[in-house]
Amino acid sequence: QGPSHRQKQTMPSHFGLRARTRSLFSKGFRNKGMPNLSTYLKTYRLGDIVDIKANAAIQKGMPHKFYHGKTGIVYNVTKRALGVVVNKTIGNRVLKKRINLRVEHVKHSTCRDDFLNRVKRNDIAGKEAKEKGVRVPLKRVPPQPREARFVSSKGNTPSRIYPIPYELL
């Protein structure tokens, strides 16, 4: 059979656990190597909200690539690992998946920090307003349009802008 019968050669596709994770699990510039000691000194409690971020330097207790970047709630704490409940959408339903991860692949989530800080600020503002006998709006207000203002022409003469005629070089 001649060259007319040759088929195009393509790379074989594989479906392993870490398939298509070349950039997903890669570590950033100057962030390579083993994790810092502070990673192991953090305390996790039941009910904590955590972000799952796989650390490629530690292969033990690593999450599947689907869970990388997901947020879950701690339901179990052991010496070196955490049990985390994560929501996974499959078709038209949401399943609560329980996964076990080592602490290197998990960090405290900051998703509720803004809310908790706002609650503290509102409590303080509410107490002060109650003492003074004044009503204070505690709800968030979306950004309002800017106030109207006049532009003075005193010492600021208006100038006219004309289009420059096209010239051939």
Side-chain angles (χ1 to χ4, degrees), residues 32-87:
K32 295 176 172 46
M34 302 309 279
N36 297 328
L37 191 60
S38 61
T39 314
Y40 300 97
L41 297 176
K42 289 178 183 162
T43 50
Y44 295 96
R45 294 187 171 83
L46 298 182
D48 280 359
I49 299 174
V50 292
D51 292 333
I52 299 167
K53 184 181 177 186
N55 186 343
I58 310 290
Q59 285 82 41
K60 278 189 173 183
M62 198 175 193
H64 185 266
K65 63 190 170 195
F66 171 84
Y67 300 105
H68 182 78
K70 299 281 187 281
T71 303
I73 299 171
V74 175
Y75 79 92
N76 186 26
V77 180
T78 61
K79 191 159 75 170
R80 293 184 189 87
L82 300 174
V84 182
V85 179
V86 184
N87 287 339

Side-chain angles (χ1 to χ4, degrees), residues 13-22 24-25 54 59-68 88 99:
S13 59
H14 297 286
F15 302 97
L17 281 177
R18 290 184 66 165
R20 297 162 189 85
T21 60
R22 180 180 184 167
L24 189 73
F25 288 163
Q59 285 82 41
K60 278 189 173 183
M62 198 175 193
H64 185 266
K65 63 190 170 195
F66 171 84
Y67 300 105
H68 182 78
K88 184 174 185 179
I99 58 173

